Amino acid sequence: MRTGKRWYRAARLYRTALRLRRAFRDAGELRRLPTEAPHVLSFARTVPDGGGTVLCVVNFGPPDVALPAHRELLLASGP
């Protein structure tokens, strides 16, 4: 992949992440969740007024990790 395309995809991912953070700014306190993989960070925030829970799972390592059950995927850097 050319460098320009790679930069564009990374910038688009980052902008989308910032937009989502703004969209859920009223969500409750951040709760860190345990994970089995040391290279995975997971946390959740409860959305007010019965909006459910926003779960964030970040994989900092090379191996894929299975996501917990979810209703909708809001952002992913891969397939």
Side-chain angles (χ1 to χ4, degrees):
M1 182 185 311
R2 291 189 346 233
T3 304
K5 240 183 190 178
R6 203 174 325 169
W7 179 88
Y8 175 77
R9 286 184 180 172
R12 187 175 61 185
L13 181 76
Y14 185 70
R15 283 192 306 268
T16 303
L18 290 175
R19 181 180 51 78
L20 287 168
R21 187 174 82 173
R22 283 189 303 273
F24 292 106
R25 77 177 65 178
D26 294 333
E29 187 175 321
L30 184 134
R31 297 181 322 273
R32 185 152 183 206
L33 304 173
T35 63
E36 294 189 22
H39 59 275
V40 175
L41 171 67
S42 180
F43 62 87
R45 294 178 70 197
T46 303
V47 179
D49 300 326
T53 301
V54 176
L55 174 65
C56 180
V57 180
V58 182
N59 181 3
F60 292 102
D64 291 341
V65 294
L67 292 175
H70 57 281
R71 185 172 13 146
E72 181 181 2
L73 184 62
L74 300 176
L75 180 64
S77 63

